[in-house]
Amino acid sequence: MSKGKAIRMDEKELEKAREYIKSLRNPNCKEDDVFFQAMEEVLLSIAPLYLSDPKYQANAIVQRLVVPDRIFKFKVEWLDRNNKIQVNTGYRVQFNNALGPYKGGLRFHPTVNEGVLKFLGFEQILKNALTGLPIGGAKGGSDFDPKGKTDFEVMSFCSAFMRELHKYIGPRIDVPAGDIGVGAREIGYLFGEYKKITSAYEGVLTGKPFFFGGSLMRPEATGYGVVYFTEKMLEIENKEPLKEKVCTVSGSGNVALHAIEKLYQLGALPVTCSDSKGTVYDPRGVDLELLKELKFVKRVSLQEYSKKHPEAKYIPVSDYPKGGHAAWHIPCYAAFPCATQNELTETDAKALVKNGCVSVTEGANMPSTPEAIHYFQKSGICFGPAKAANAGGVAVSALEMSQNAQMMRWSFEKVDAELKTIMEHICTNVAQTAEEYGVKGNYVDGANIAGFKRVADAMIAEGI
Ligand code: GLU
């Protein structure tokens, strides 16, 4: 196709696309809302590619891509600290393995249901494709809430979860990892149970602690990757780098924490972090050591932050701006939503733009609502979508798979250098793809088109 010429859907085609998306949908199933939100964004933005090459329609790629290969749903029975039996639901959505073994995290959170995991699995296909590594897309998890549970309870749950999950996974079949509520501790218990059942010591999970087969830098990878991506995006868009700039971050999990760490390393000033109860605004910069202690050692609420730093502001959720999140109403140069889906609304987007924000990069999966993204794009600020910007985590997971397969361990520096190269390559590829398809500067379309193309071409080559 001709360079720089946008092929846009006309009104009739747009209507047809919307009708098609609607036809897939069971209107009574509210659970599927986020899945359709993710799917609609992708399908509408791949139009320039889809319409320019008849092979995609001839091979029914869209119809095939939006349906998961299979979904496992299972009962998880476990014993709590009082020896009482508890029951949760577990899932694994194996979405697409055109490019490699199914790959994607496990989320343990009360909001988990089939729809949420379909959305995350669908995003994961394109994200994993963008890394350029041989990994397909999957996601899994449970409505189990690790918050407030003892180590014993988490272990009991993880063992029970793996007693069912082990049937469906394997180092060449499907390799789960962490996500919200699943970190090194949970991966350790899951790995231990897999090993007991199968007797196999193999790279069936990534995100393992280093001392028994994990990759150095895997904990840091997503957060560092988000910042590497942002630096490259700012360079491509001729904007000033992050050094000495005020940054706002949401979340206080693995992604947020390491984004904050990398921002400090680059000489930037991250001033916020948040959890489900509130936001900390520390104008002198977030105390990273304290944050690590509160969230990873003590596992307590951020409210505790003010005990050590009474001069920092703690904003409880009840005081958030109507329809918005406190972090996005604090003036910044660059914003990093690193908590969860749909946490940054149009109200927030307007506040960010009004306060002079130049760049927004998504560390969480789909944290910005469609209206917020539209507003960012209309305002011409740099916007790095999750499936490109937060791909560093899964990319290092794939490097962990390589190390496990080779029975080797790479140094921190080697993994970090690989990660930086991968993130810069993703960013450049996305920017170039956007330009090639006539939507220069639109990283959402660039990411969707580049990811889709890689998966679709493999699906066509592999046949049905
Ligand atoms: N859960 C992470 C993600 O959303 C990492 C997945 C993995 O390492 O497999 O990409």
Side-chain angles (χ1 to χ4, degrees):
M1 74 167 283
S2 62
K3 224 179 156 120
K5 191 172 169 293
I7 299 188
R8 282 275 156 246
M9 285 199 232
D10 61 29
E11 265 317 308
K12 231 171 82 197
E13 281 160 336
L14 209 62
E15 203 36 52
K16 228 171 82 191
R18 291 216 170 92
E19 278 302 310
Y20 172 66
I21 296 167
K22 225 165 91 192
S23 75
L24 295 170
R25 191 168 185 158
N26 172 359
N28 299 321
C29 184
K30 289 297 283 171
E31 277 188 8
D32 271 351
D33 282 1
V34 274
F35 173 50
F36 280 92
Q37 180 186 331
M39 183 163 56
E40 197 165 299
E41 180 212 283
V42 171
L43 297 191
L44 297 182
S45 81
I46 58 166
L49 173 69
Y50 202 72
L51 295 172
S52 68
D53 195 332
K55 73 171 183 248
Y56 298 113
Q57 292 189 53
N59 284 278
I61 289 301
V62 164
Q63 290 89 324
R64 291 163 59 198
L65 190 68
V66 298
V67 182
D69 289 349
R70 62 196 70 79
I71 301 178
F72 300 106
K73 181 173 178 183
F74 47 91
K75 182 170 68 170
V76 187
E77 298 166 320
W78 57 281
L79 276 185
D80 71 13
R81 68 190 94 168
N82 302 314
N83 269 340
K84 268 184 66 185
I85 298 172
Q86 301 289 339
V87 182
N88 285 93
T89 307
Y91 307 85
R92 186 70 180 165
V93 179
Q94 295 182 337
F95 224 120
N96 185 295
N97 65 353
L99 292 173
Y102 299 107
K103 182 83 196 86
L106 298 171
R107 179 175 289 193
F108 291 169
H109 195 269
T111 57
V112 163
N113 58 41
E114 205 173 295
V116 168
L117 296 176
K118 266 160 51 189
F119 131 62
L120 290 164
F122 182 67
E123 289 282 293
Q124 199 82 43
I125 306 170
L126 302 180
K127 181 196 305 196
N128 294 3
L130 284 171
T131 65
L133 299 165
I135 38 179
K139 205 83 188 191
S142 172
D143 55 358
F144 170 75
D145 186 359
K147 231 183 246 168
K149 303 286 191 298
T150 62
D151 270 359
F152 170 80
E153 287 174 318
V154 172
M155 182 172 69
S156 165
F157 176 81
C158 288
S159 301
F161 185 84
M162 186 51 89
R163 278 198 290 278
E164 186 65 27
L165 184 71
H166 84 274
K167 299 171 191 167
Y168 319 119
I169 61 176
R172 292 282 178 271
I173 300 170
D174 181 355
V175 184
D179 196 80
I180 294 174
V182 179
R185 174 182 61 167
E186 290 74 16
I187 293 292
Y189 294 146
L190 290 163
F191 184 74
E193 186 65 29
Y194 179 86
K195 198 160 55 72
K196 268 183 221 112
I197 299 169
T198 63
S199 296
Y201 203 108
E202 55 190 6
V204 70
L205 291 158
T206 60
K208 298 181 288 298
F210 178 65
F211 55 93
F212 62 84
S215 174
L216 285 174
M217 261 230 70
R218 176 61 188 90
E220 291 85 351
T222 314
Y224 281 22
V226 169
V227 179
Y228 290 147
F229 182 96
T230 308
E231 281 285 80
K232 190 71 196 171
M233 176 168 72
L234 292 169
E235 183 194 310
I236 295 173
E237 300 302 319
N238 292 316
K239 301 279 193 293
E240 286 177 30
L242 294 165
K243 191 166 191 250
E244 287 168 13
K245 298 287 194 289
V246 170
C247 299
T248 49
V249 179
S250 66
S252 50
N254 189 44
V255 183
L257 202 121
H258 292 105
I260 291 174
E261 187 165 273
K262 185 46 81 180
L263 286 170
Y264 275 129
Q265 287 172 13
L266 294 181
L269 188 70
V271 294
T272 60
C273 59
S274 66
D275 64 14
S276 59
K277 297 205 179 73
T279 293
V280 163
Y281 171 39
D282 194 336
R284 301 154 316 156
V286 168
D287 180 341
L288 186 58
E289 286 318 305
L290 178 62
L291 184 61
K292 283 185 183 172
E293 189 190 318
L294 295 180
K295 286 296 172 187
F296 287 82
V297 184
K298 294 189 177 156
R299 298 180 194 268
V300 292
S301 145
L302 278 179
Q303 222 165 341
E304 301 281 312
Y305 189 98
S306 334
K307 281 195 184 149
K308 188 160 174 210
H309 294 295
E311 64 292 348
K313 201 167 164 196
Y314 177 74
I315 311 157
V317 171
S318 53
D319 291 352
Y320 279 12
K322 199 168 175 284
H325 188 301
W328 317 130
H329 294 252
I330 289 156
C332 69
Y333 179 76
F336 296 87
C338 295
T340 194
Q341 62 264 22
N342 291 328
E343 56 160 313
L344 195 160
T345 63
E346 190 180 16
T347 310
D348 299 323
K350 285 182 176 162
L352 281 165
V353 172
K354 186 167 145 257
N355 287 329
C357 174
V358 163
S359 139
V360 177
T361 318
E362 297 188 318
N365 287 314
M366 209 171 73
S368 317
T369 63
E371 297 77 24
I373 298 175
H374 185 68
Y375 193 81
F376 289 141
Q377 290 176 333
K378 220 172 62 190
S379 314
I381 76 166
C382 303
F383 178 74
K387 65 172 74 70
N390 78 15
V394 77
V396 172
S397 273
L399 303 183
E400 183 173 332
M401 288 164 71
S402 303
Q403 293 170 72
N404 290 166
Q406 295 174 308
M407 304 281 274
M408 293 279 285
R409 283 173 154 191
W410 301 354
S411 68
F412 188 95
E413 291 70 28
K414 179 174 163 69
V415 183
D416 192 23
E418 292 266 353
L419 171 68
K420 192 157 187 269
T421 309
I422 291 170
M423 295 316 296
E424 292 180 352
H425 179 259
I426 294 174
C427 189
T428 313
N429 181 24
V430 165
Q432 280 171 355
T433 305
E435 186 167 0
E436 193 179 325
Y437 285 89
V439 282
K440 191 170 185 294
N442 185 334
Y443 286 60
V444 174
D445 286 358
N448 286 331
I449 294 171
F452 174 86
K453 192 168 167 14
R454 194 164 171 244
V455 182
D457 290 348
M459 285 171 74
I460 292 169
E462 289 169 16
I464 52 168

